[in-house]
Structure formats: structure tokens, C-alpha cells
Amino acid sequence: MQDERQSALSRRNFLRAFGGASTAAVATAAFVPTEAHAYDPGEEETRARYQETDHVKTFYRVNGYPKGK
């Protein structure tokens, strides 16, 4: 009985140490500085798309937005 209890505790300690070591490794990897690269959206993503259509004007009118122009 004592041997079973002792082996159960050693397994538990092993898993506890393994969990702590893996957590420490992940935390260390998360804080490694890397060089940042800027995102270039390109011409297609920066073009103007907003058009004030009748549908948009009706939405503003129904929802009580103040008139702009």
C-alpha cells in the first residue's frame, strides 16, 4: 500500500513539474522580441468605397442620424 501511494505521489510530482516547465517554455517564447513588419494594404484596399446611395440615406433617416450636408 505504501509503495503504491509513493509511486502515485511521484507521478503527480512529475506531472506537476512537467506542466510548470512547459508553461515556462511557452512564456519565454512569447516574450522573444522579433522585428516588426509594416502591412502594406495596396492600392485596391485603400480606394474609396463609400457611396451615399438612397439605401444609406434611408438608413440614416430611419435611425435618427443628424443630416450632414
Side-chain angles (χ1 to χ4, degrees):
M1 181 73 172
Q2 186 68 17
D3 291 333
E4 289 178 22
R5 187 173 187 190
Q6 190 69 3
S7 66
L9 289 176
S10 65
R11 259 185 267 134
R12 181 176 290 159
N13 287 335
F14 169 75
L15 293 174
R16 198 177 282 159
F18 182 74
S22 62
T23 303
V26 169
T28 303
F31 293 112
V32 173
T34 59
E35 185 177 336
H37 298 283
Y39 172 70
D40 181 19
E43 185 68 29
E44 180 63 24
E45 291 186 31
T46 56
R47 67 180 172 86
R49 291 187 196 102
Y50 180 78
Q51 297 174 359
E52 196 168 328
T53 61
D54 291 335
H55 174 63
V56 172
K57 291 176 185 177
T58 303
F59 176 82
Y60 289 156
R61 181 178 47 80
V62 168
N63 289 297
Y65 288 95
K67 293 186 179 186
K69 296 176 183 176

